[in-house]
Amino acid sequence: MSLFVVAQNAVYRVINNLNGLPSNTVYSILQDKNGFLWVAHDKGLSRYDGKSFVHYESIAKQGRSLFNLMEYQNRIYCQDFAGNFYYTSHNKLVQESSLSWKGGFVPATILNNKFLISCFTDTLRSLNLSTHKVQKIPIPDTFSWGINIKDHKLLALCANGIYRTDGYRGQFQKLPTYNSFFLIPTQNELYGITKNNFPYVRRLLHGGSPIAVLKSDLFIQDVVKIKDEIWIATSSGAYCFDLDFKPKYNGFCFFEGTSISKILVDREDNYWFATISKGLFFVPNIHVRLYNHQNVGLTALAPFQQGKGVFVGTEKQNILSFTPKQGFRPYFFKKSSNHEIISIYEDTENHDMLFCSNRMVQLNAQRQLVQTLDLAAKSTVKIKPNLYAVAYSGGVSLFTKSRKPIPIPQWLLEDQTPQSVSVDSIFNLSHSFLKCRTRWIEFGQKDSTLYISTVTGLVYISPKGTGFISYKGNPIYGSQIISQGDYTYVSTFSEGLYILKGLQVVRHIGKENGLASNTIYRFQIDHQKIWLLEEGMLQSFDLNTHKIVSYSSTDGLPKAEIKDLAIGSQNVFLATTEGLVVFDKNRDVFNPTSPLISLTGFTVNDHQQDYSSGLNLKADQNSIEIFFSILSFKSEDELRISYKINDGAWLNLPSQSRVLSFPSLSPGNYHLTLKVTNEDGVVVPKPLEIHFVIKPPFYLQWWFLLLGVIVIAWGIYWYMSWRINDINQKNQLIADKLKLEQEVKQSILASIKSQMNPHFLFNALNTIQAYIYTNDKENASFYLGKFSELTRRILEMSNKDSVPLSEEIKALTLYLELEKIRFEDLLTYTFDVDPALQTDFVYIPSMLIQPYVENAIKHGLLHKKSERKLWIKFIKEKDCLMVIIDDNGIGRKRSEQLKRLKERNSHNGFAISANQKRLDILNQGAKHQIMMEIIDKQNAQGEPLGTLVNIRIPFQKSPSANLVN
C-alpha cells in the first residue's frame, strides 16, 4: 500500500509584513546582548522585541537592502550590497566612512570585540572600532569568500589554503579548498562547503574527502555553526548536522520548499529561520513536529503497536494510521463526510475497531466493515466478548457483531426478563436515568461496573445496584471516563478530575492542586502520570510527586484547537485542527532563561524625553509614560509583569502591556521598579528601575507656605471670634426655647394626670355608692379603707415623673383588690414578676400601667359572666422592661359592639386615649421609646379569647437608673 505524501514541519509562527516587518525578504538576523532581535531586510534594518518593530531606514543611495549583522558594544553594524558599512546610533543609521568600497559587497566580521575585518581580493582591512584606524593586511593568495572565527583568530578561505589572523598579522596554511564558498571550523576539522557544486561538503584537513549528505539540486545560501550543531540554509529548506556532519533530527528538512537565508538560535533556545520571501519563521521548540494530512483537521486518536503509533480520526470521517517513521497510512476510507470522528475504540482481543460519529462503525482486524449503527454515537466500550455498549445522544444501547443472539447480563437489565442481542440490532437500556443525552461510557473490569456520563450526572450500573455518583452532594458532569485497575478516573467540564474507588470519590484534582483550569476535555493515563487536555493547555500531573508540567504554545504547541490526545511508549500525540503534533513525552520543557527588560521610551506630557536617573521635572511636567520592552520570545503572552512605586505594593500589568502611564502625578520623588516572570516562574535578574523627581510649584515652596499659614491663621482667628459670638447667641436662643418646651411638656403631662386621676376616682366611688345603696356596711367600710389607701398612693404618685416598679405594683394590687370586691370575687388576677428584676430600683413612668388594667376589666372582663381572669407579668429583657397584661374577656370587637348599644358610656375609652397622649409626649426626642402593642386573641374558629397588651419600657440611664441582676 502506498504511503501518503506527508507534509511535516516544526511548529512555527510566521512574522512578516502583517506583523509589522517592513519586508518579507530577510537576509540576516541577530540577537544583541540586550535580547533584541535585529532583522536586515530588503528595506533596511528593523529591531524586534516580540511585540513591535522599530525601523531604521537605509541611507544608502545604491539601494535599501542590508545584510550581515554584527554587534559591537551598543552598536549594530551592517552592510549593503554596494560594499558600504553602517552602524546604529540614536535610532538611526550612520555610515562608517572609514570603510568605503565601491567594488560590491565583501564578507566581514567583528573579531574579538575589537576589529571589524572585511576581506578583499588579496587584502584584509582591519578597522579598530575604538580608534577608528584602518590597517591593511595583505594575504599571499586570492581570497575566495568564506570566513569564520576559531580560537580568537579569523580564518579566511582562499583559493589554495587558509589564512589566519588576530587582526594585526597573519599566517597562511596551504591546502586544497575545492572551490569552497563557506568555511566551518570544528575541534578537529575544517569543513568547506560550496554553494551549488555537489557533493557540497568536504573535509579540508583530510584530503578534501566529500560528505554526501544533501541532495544534488540545492543552492546553499548560508552555513552556520550554533553550539554543537551545523545548520545549512538552502534554497529549499534547512538541514541540521552534528559536528561530524552526521544528520540530526533523522535527517529532517525544515521548511522544505522555502528559501532559507539565515538561521539563528536565541538565548532561550528558540530557532529563527529567515526567508527570502516569507519573512521570519519562529520555532519555540525544535523537537516538536506537526504532521499535516491533506490540510484536513484531526479529531480523535487511539494508540496502537504498544504506543509506537496511533489511529487517527479526521473531520471527514476517515481513519488513518500513523507512526513517526512511516507517516500517515489509510486505514478506513469511504466517501467523505462532514461529520467528524469523536472517539476511536480498539478491541485489543480481536483488534476490531469501533469509531463514533454521526453513526457507530465497527471494522474487523482486516479493516472490513462489520456493521454500522445509525446512532449519533459518542463513545463505545466492550463489556464482555462480543457484547459492546455505546453512548449516544439518546441514551445507551448494547450491540454485538455475533449472528447468534448474545444473552445480556441480568444486572444490566432494569427488570428480570431475560434479553439478548444479535448483529445489526441494538438493545436500549431502559433505566429512567439513561433516557437523556449521554457523553461517555466506560466499563470497569475489576468491579463489573458500567459508568456512563450523562447530562444529568455520572451514572453507574453494576451487579450491586444502579444510581448516581456525586461528590459532596453535587452531581458529576463527566467529559471522559477511564477505568484502570481498582480506580476509575472521571474528567469534568468545570470541576477538574475525580478519582473513584468502589463508587466513592477518593481524590479530587483541580486548580487548587496546580492545574491551569478545571475544564478538562480529554485525558490519558501513563503509569503514574495523568495527561490532561485543558482549556488552551496540555498538562501532566504526577500522582505520586504531584509535579505538574505545562505545555502550551510557548513550548512548541500550535495555536490551534486540540481535539484529542494519546500517550505512546515514547511520544505524545495531539490531534489538532492543523494536523498531528508529536513530541517526546520525556523531554524537559522547563524554560530556565530569565526574561530581560529594557527601557525603550520616556515621555513627559506626550513629548519624548531623554531619560537619566534622577531626572528633575517641573511641577507641570507630571504626565509620564514609560515604554519598555520585554525580551522573552518564548514566553509570549504567559509573562507576569508587575511594578511598584517607591515602597508600595506590587501591582500587576496585563501580559500584553508594554507601557506604564501616570497622567497626573503629584510633586515628589518617584522610584519605579518593574519586574517580569516567565511562564515557569523564572524572574528577571535585574528589574527595570526608573527614578525621577517632580518639583513642587511655587505655591508649595516654604516661604509661600509660611505666608499662607500666617494669613490663614489670622483669618481663622477672626472667623472663630465671630463664630463663637454667633454660636453663643444661638445657643442662648435654643436654651430658652428648650426650657419653654420642657415647661409646656410638664404642663401637658400634669394636665393629663389631673384628668386621669379624677377619672379613676369616679369609677371607684361608684362602687362604694353601690354598697351603700344595698346597705352592705361591712363591705362598704372595707372597700372605703382600701379606697382611701389607694387614693393616698395615687396622690403621691401623681406628683412624680417616675416611680419604682414596686410602688406601681402595690397601687395596682390595691386597685385590683377593690375591683375584685366589686365583682363579688368573680375576678381572679395574678402578678408574675421576673426574679431578675429588682423592683425597688426599676423606675417607670408613674400611673402608666393602671389605665390598661382598668381597660381590661371595664371592656373585657366586665361583660363576662364567670371565670374572669387577669394576668400581669413583669419580665426583664436585654435593655427594657416587658409588661404583659393578659385577660380572657370578650375581646375588643365585642366590647365595641356593646359600646355602640350603650351610647351613654362615652367615658369608657378616656383613660386609654389619655395614656396614649402621654406616651406620645414621653417618646418625643427619646432615643429609646416606650412601645405599646395590643393583640386580639382568637381561637382556630376566629372566636375571641381575650386581649393581650405588651408594653416595652426602656431602662433609664440616669442617677436613678434601673438596676437589674
Side-chain angles (χ1 to χ4, degrees):
M1 184 176 293
S2 62
L3 288 173
F4 281 99
V5 176
V6 179
Q8 59 169 317
N9 245 319
V11 177
Y12 66 100
R13 296 196 291 273
V14 179
I15 301 169
N16 56 22
N17 59 319
L18 299 179
N19 309 105
L21 182 63
S23 172
N24 287 341
T25 300
V26 180
Y27 299 111
S28 182
I29 48 178
L30 169 76
Q31 186 176 42
D32 67 20
K33 63 182 180 181
N34 294 318
F36 288 98
L37 186 75
W38 294 84
V39 185
H41 47 75
D42 208 31
K43 294 183 179 180
L45 177 66
S46 297
R47 188 188 70 191
Y48 185 55
D49 66 356
K51 289 297 177 185
S52 60
F53 287 90
V54 176
H55 185 56
Y56 296 71
E57 187 174 353
S58 173
I59 59 175
K61 296 180 180 179
Q62 295 93 333
R64 295 182 179 272
S65 300
L66 298 175
F67 78 106
N68 193 21
L69 297 174
M70 300 165 282
E71 181 180 15
Y72 170 71
Q73 295 182 354
N74 292 321
R75 291 180 177 181
I76 300 297
Y77 279 81
C78 58
Q79 296 173 253
D80 65 14
F81 287 100
N84 299 302
F85 287 82
Y86 306 89
Y87 61 87
T88 57
S89 177
H90 300 289
N91 296 325
K92 64 180 180 179
L93 282 175
V94 178
Q95 185 172 355
E96 179 56 74
S97 58
S98 302
L99 292 176
S100 59
W101 170 251
K102 297 181 180 180
F105 65 93
V106 294
T109 189
I110 293 178
L111 178 65
N112 299 332
N113 199 33
K114 185 174 183 180
F115 301 106
L116 173 55
I117 298 180
S118 54
C119 303
F120 296 85
T121 305
D122 57 359
T123 305
L124 300 180
R125 290 191 302 176
S126 178
L127 170 65
N128 189 311
L129 294 171
S130 59
T131 64
H132 282 270
K133 292 182 179 181
V134 177
Q135 177 186 359
K136 293 183 179 181
I137 305 174
I139 55 179
D141 197 3
T142 302
F143 173 69
S144 57
W145 182 265
I147 60 173
N148 218 313
I149 296 174
K150 181 182 179 182
D151 299 330
H152 304 289
K153 290 185 178 181
L154 176 75
L155 279 64
L157 185 63
C158 301
N160 300 294
I162 305 295
Y163 186 78
R164 292 178 170 86
T165 179
D166 59 3
Y168 297 101
R169 59 191 63 85
Q171 181 182 5
F172 183 73
Q173 178 184 4
K174 189 174 181 179
L175 53 81
T177 58
Y178 302 95
N179 296 318
S180 297
F181 193 85
F182 302 98
L183 180 65
I184 296 295
T186 64
Q187 187 68 29
N188 300 312
E189 188 59 81
L190 286 176
Y191 292 102
I193 301 100
T194 66
K195 262 191 173 293
N196 53 7
N197 295 328
F198 187 80
Y200 303 111
V201 184
R202 291 181 181 272
R203 296 183 176 93
L204 301 184
L205 297 182
H206 292 78
S209 58
I211 305 175
V213 291
L214 298 172
K215 57 185 180 180
S216 61
D217 56 347
L218 294 175
F219 183 81
I220 310 299
Q221 304 204 106
D222 190 46
V223 183
V224 61
K225 185 176 72 171
I226 304 173
K227 297 180 180 178
D228 60 348
E229 296 178 337
I230 298 173
W231 282 88
I232 298 181
T234 79
S235 56
S236 182
Y239 298 84
C240 185
F241 305 90
D242 64 16
L243 298 184
D244 293 322
F245 248 100
K246 294 178 181 178
K248 294 192 67 173
Y249 308 112
N250 297 319
F252 176 67
C253 177
F254 291 85
F255 309 109
E256 187 171 8
T258 300
S259 183
I260 308 296
S261 58
K262 205 74 175 178
I263 301 167
L264 168 73
V265 179
D266 66 18
R267 51 187 293 274
E268 297 176 280
D269 286 334
N270 302 308
Y271 283 70
W272 298 80
F273 295 82
T275 74
I276 294 300
S277 61
K278 297 180 180 179
L280 295 172
F281 292 169
F282 171 73
V283 179
N285 191 333
I286 199 68
H287 304 283
V288 178
R289 294 288 176 270
L290 176 64
Y291 297 84
N292 182 273
H293 170 68
Q294 299 178 355
N295 294 322
V296 174
L298 309 182
T299 59
L301 298 174
F304 76 95
Q305 293 184 359
Q306 291 78 45
K308 294 179 181 178
V310 286
F311 292 114
V312 183
T314 76
E315 63 184 5
K316 298 296 185 180
Q317 209 175 88
N318 293 319
I319 297 289
L320 308 168
S321 66
F322 174 87
T323 63
K325 289 185 178 180
Q326 296 179 335
F328 291 111
R329 287 176 177 263
Y331 192 88
F332 176 76
F333 268 72
K334 291 293 184 182
K335 184 178 179 180
S336 293
S337 167
N338 289 325
H339 296 280
E340 68 179 44
I341 293 177
I342 297 174
S343 64
I344 303 172
Y345 178 81
E346 184 189 18
D347 188 338
T348 55
E349 284 189 31
N350 55 29
H351 297 290
D352 281 6
M353 176 185 288
L354 302 95
F355 66 84
C356 297
S357 183
N358 65 324
R359 54 184 179 153
M360 198 293 300
V361 178
Q362 184 172 11
L363 309 174
N364 62 21
Q366 290 73 40
R367 311 182 195 179
Q368 296 171 332
L369 180 64
V370 175
Q371 63 177 325
T372 300
L373 302 178
D374 290 327
L375 300 170
K378 309 299 179 184
S379 170
T380 57
V381 70
K382 181 179 178 180
I383 297 177
K384 68 175 189 176
N386 274 332
L387 183 63
Y388 304 89
V390 57
Y392 67 102
S393 59
V396 173
S397 294
L398 305 178
F399 65 95
T400 181
K401 71 173 184 178
S402 174
R403 297 196 176 276
K404 295 181 180 181
I406 298 296
I408 298 173
Q410 288 291 322
W411 59 268
L412 281 172
L413 303 173
E414 193 169 27
D415 55 33
Q416 298 301 313
T417 305
Q419 300 287 347
S420 63
V421 65
S422 59
V423 70
D424 294 327
S425 66
I426 61 173
F427 179 83
N428 294 321
L429 295 184
S430 59
H431 301 77
S432 59
F433 46 71
L434 294 180
K435 294 180 179 179
C436 61
R437 186 180 183 89
T438 58
R439 293 194 177 101
W440 202 271
I441 192 165
E442 175 71 333
F443 182 67
Q445 296 286 347
K446 194 75 178 276
D447 55 4
S448 297
T449 300
L450 191 65
Y451 298 91
I452 307 108
S453 172
T454 77
V455 294
T456 58
L458 182 62
V459 173
Y460 72 94
I461 304 175
S462 73
K464 297 180 181 179
T466 62
F468 284 91
I469 300 174
S470 61
Y471 181 65
K472 295 182 178 181
N474 298 315
I476 297 174
Y477 300 105
S479 57
Q480 186 182 356
I481 310 169
I482 297 177
S483 283
Q484 196 174 90
D486 294 330
Y487 298 95
T488 298
Y489 304 79
V490 183
S491 61
T492 70
F493 291 105
S494 61
E495 298 296 332
L497 182 83
Y498 293 102
I499 303 177
L500 283 63
K501 184 178 182 181
L503 305 179
Q504 298 293 324
V505 176
V506 296
R507 189 172 180 182
H508 174 250
I509 303 172
K511 291 182 70 174
E512 64 274 13
N513 304 105
L515 295 189
S517 170
N518 280 334
T519 298
I520 302 173
Y521 296 106
R522 288 283 190 272
F523 74 100
Q524 291 296 331
I525 303 171
D526 182 32
H527 302 292
Q528 287 300 310
K529 189 178 289 186
I530 301 179
W531 292 79
L532 305 153
L533 184 55
E534 304 167 32
E535 190 69 57
M537 182 173 290
L538 174 70
Q539 289 189 306
S540 66
F541 181 88
D542 193 302
L543 291 170
N544 291 331
T545 65
H546 300 178
K547 179 183 178 181
I548 293 178
V549 180
S550 300
Y551 303 80
S552 66
S553 60
T554 64
D555 306 299
L557 300 190
K559 289 189 172 182
E561 182 182 3
I562 303 175
K563 307 286 282 190
D564 201 2
L565 78 160
I567 311 301
S569 56
Q570 181 65 30
N571 294 315
V572 176
F573 302 90
L574 302 177
T576 78
T577 53
E578 292 184 359
L580 183 67
V581 176
V582 183
F583 64 91
D584 189 338
K585 67 180 182 181
N586 298 313
R587 183 170 292 276
D588 186 13
V589 294
F590 180 79
N591 181 10
T593 308
S594 60
L596 299 177
I597 187 167
S598 178
L599 178 69
T600 57
F602 189 91
T603 65
V604 178
N605 295 349
D606 296 327
H607 295 289
Q608 187 68 36
Q609 177 85 32
D610 289 334
Y611 171 77
S612 60
S613 182
L615 179 67
N616 288 308
L617 301 173
K618 297 179 181 178
D620 58 351
Q621 294 179 310
N622 62 347
S623 182
I624 307 297
E625 281 189 315
I626 299 168
F627 297 86
F628 57 92
S629 290
I630 298 174
L631 290 312
S632 182
F633 298 104
K634 185 185 292 289
S635 301
E636 199 183 19
D637 297 334
E638 296 185 28
L639 294 167
R640 294 186 293 276
I641 310 171
S642 54
Y643 74 97
K644 69 175 181 178
I645 301 175
N646 297 335
D647 294 325
W650 286 100
L651 304 174
N652 294 324
L653 285 174
S655 61
Q656 294 282 350
S657 181
R658 296 297 183 270
V659 60
L660 272 173
S661 298
F662 303 100
S664 295
L665 290 175
S666 302
N669 292 330
Y670 290 92
H671 187 88
L672 176 75
T673 305
L674 188 68
K675 70 177 181 179
V676 186
T677 307
N678 76 0
E679 74 279 11
D680 290 317
V682 180
V683 184
V684 60
K686 185 178 180 181
L688 178 63
E689 297 190 8
I690 305 293
H691 180 218
F692 58 92
V693 179
I694 299 178
K695 295 181 179 179
F698 75 92
Y699 49 81
L700 292 179
Q701 300 292 330
W702 70 268
W703 58 267
F704 190 88
L705 293 176
L706 179 60
L707 178 62
V709 167
I710 294 173
V711 173
I712 292 171
W714 181 85
I716 292 174
Y717 173 77
W718 177 85
Y719 174 78
M720 292 301 296
S721 298
W722 171 82
R723 185 61 179 160
I724 290 171
N725 184 55
D726 182 65
I727 290 173
N728 288 336
Q729 294 179 3
K730 289 181 178 179
N731 286 343
Q732 186 61 45
L733 292 174
I734 292 171
D736 294 343
K737 183 178 179 181
L738 289 175
K739 182 178 180 181
L740 178 61
E741 289 177 352
Q742 187 67 22
E743 290 176 353
V744 171
K745 188 182 294 186
Q746 293 295 333
S747 176
I748 293 172
L749 288 173
S751 173
I752 291 174
K753 288 183 182 180
S754 66
Q755 290 176 331
M756 188 187 305
N757 295 339
H759 177 73
F760 171 75
L761 297 176
F762 173 77
N763 290 333
L765 290 173
N766 281 343
T767 303
I768 297 173
Q769 185 181 33
Y771 283 123
I772 294 173
Y773 283 160
T774 57
N775 200 26
D776 189 348
K777 296 180 181 179
E778 183 178 352
N779 281 333
S781 175
F782 177 81
Y783 195 97
L784 187 60
K786 292 289 186 180
F787 175 72
S788 63
E789 184 179 355
L790 177 61
T791 303
R792 178 179 59 79
R793 288 188 177 275
I794 289 174
L795 291 174
E796 291 175 355
M797 295 169 64
S798 297
N799 294 322
K800 299 177 181 179
D801 292 331
S802 60
V803 296
L805 179 59
S806 58
E807 293 294 326
E808 186 77 4
I809 293 173
K810 290 178 182 178
L812 288 173
T813 303
L814 287 171
Y815 168 74
L816 289 173
E817 285 179 356
L818 294 175
E819 290 293 314
K820 184 174 182 180
I821 295 172
R822 190 166 69 87
F823 278 85
E824 299 176 347
D825 290 331
L826 293 178
L827 172 67
T828 302
Y829 62 91
T830 303
F831 283 95
D832 187 0
V833 182
D834 192 335
L837 288 170
Q838 296 183 6
T839 57
D840 290 334
F841 300 99
V842 176
Y843 283 75
I844 63 173
S846 64
M847 297 293 290
L848 182 66
I849 301 173
Q850 187 274 336
Y852 298 100
V853 176
E854 175 186 348
N855 200 62
I857 295 173
K858 295 295 184 182
H859 301 290
L861 300 174
L862 176 65
H863 303 289
K864 193 169 183 179
K865 302 303 182 182
S866 61
E867 294 186 0
R868 301 182 177 100
K869 295 182 180 180
L870 180 68
W871 296 269
I872 303 174
K873 299 179 182 179
F874 300 91
I875 302 171
K876 172 202 168 188
E877 292 191 351
K878 183 178 180 182
D879 54 1
C880 68
L881 171 68
M882 170 65 81
V883 181
I884 300 174
I885 304 167
D886 188 3
D887 67 73
N888 65 342
I890 63 174
R892 290 194 298 172
K893 184 176 181 181
R894 179 58 181 162
S895 176
E896 185 66 22
Q897 293 174 350
L898 295 175
K899 178 180 178 182
R900 285 197 293 268
L901 293 174
K902 301 178 182 180
E903 295 179 355
R904 54 190 174 84
N905 291 341
S906 59
H907 66 280
N908 283 350
F910 172 78
I912 294 300
S913 61
N915 219 39
Q916 185 60 49
K917 291 181 181 180
R918 184 183 177 197
L919 287 180
D920 293 340
I921 294 173
L922 289 171
N923 286 335
Q924 287 182 11
K927 183 177 181 181
H928 303 288
Q929 299 187 348
I930 301 173
M931 307 298 293
M932 187 271 293
E933 179 185 25
I934 301 177
I935 301 172
D936 295 312
K937 299 190 298 181
Q938 294 180 342
N939 61 15
Q941 290 74 33
E943 298 174 348
L945 296 178
T947 305
L948 182 70
V949 179
N950 294 328
I951 305 173
R952 286 181 173 83
I953 305 172
F955 290 127
Q956 298 178 6
K957 295 181 180 179
S958 64
S960 58
N962 301 324
L963 298 176
V964 295
N965 291 334

